């Protein structure tokens, strides 16, 4: 059965798409811990990030790096943090989270943002992604 992320990639579930290429897909987390919190997933369903072959893992990180650079350009932050937890959805995913303080990466602290604000954030980030 397809994961929720595969359904998002296929367009079966709406998302705030930030970037996409032939192998990867980036979209805003709908339960963000910070404004601009973005998920980066491989299009191929792989449960565990370290099960990805070395060449594809390098490409995955390069794609995530480009998305992080776009986040830094339009979301006020000192850095973009990276987290890989991978327990809640059986599809590898990287969290890119704008940080101003170490406490900004607390997954217990979720924001609820209005749809128009999510759309605005998505447009800002996606317009700054250079693939």
């Amino acid at each position: 059965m397809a994961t929720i992320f595969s359904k998002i990639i296929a367009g079966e579930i709406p998302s705030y798409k930030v970037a996409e290429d032939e192998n990867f897909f980036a979209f805003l987390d709908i339960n963000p811990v910070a404004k601009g919190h973005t998920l980066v997933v491989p299009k191929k369903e792989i449960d565990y990030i370290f099960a990805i072959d070395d060449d594809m893992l390098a490409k995955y990180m390069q794609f995530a790096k480009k998305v992080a650079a776009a986040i830094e350009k339009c979301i006020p932050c000192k850095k973009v943090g990276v987290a890989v937890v991978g327990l809640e959805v059986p599809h590898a995913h990287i969290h890119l989270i704008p940080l101003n303080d170490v406490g900004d990466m607390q997954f217990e602290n979720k924001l609820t943002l209005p749809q128009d604000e999510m759309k605005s954030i998505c447009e800002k980030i996606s317009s700054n992604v250079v693939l």
Side-chain angles (χ1 to χ4, degrees), residues 66-128:
K66 292 173 183 176
V67 174
I71 293 169
E72 285 183 298
K73 286 182 181 176
C74 58
I75 303 294
C77 63
K78 291 180 181 175
K79 293 184 178 185
V80 173
V82 178
V84 177
V85 182
L87 297 174
E88 59 281 352
V89 177
H91 191 138
H93 54 289
I94 295 171
H95 294 263
L96 299 177
I97 302 171
L99 302 174
N100 289 300
D101 183 85
V102 72
D104 291 344
M105 198 171 268
Q106 298 295 322
F107 284 89
E108 300 83 27
N109 302 331
K110 303 285 184 170
L111 301 176
T112 302
L113 302 174
Q115 189 175 13
D116 61 329
E117 187 172 8
M118 291 287 285
K119 185 177 178 183
S120 174
I121 291 167
C122 180
E123 289 170 356
K124 287 177 187 173
I125 296 170
S126 63
S127 68
N128 282 285

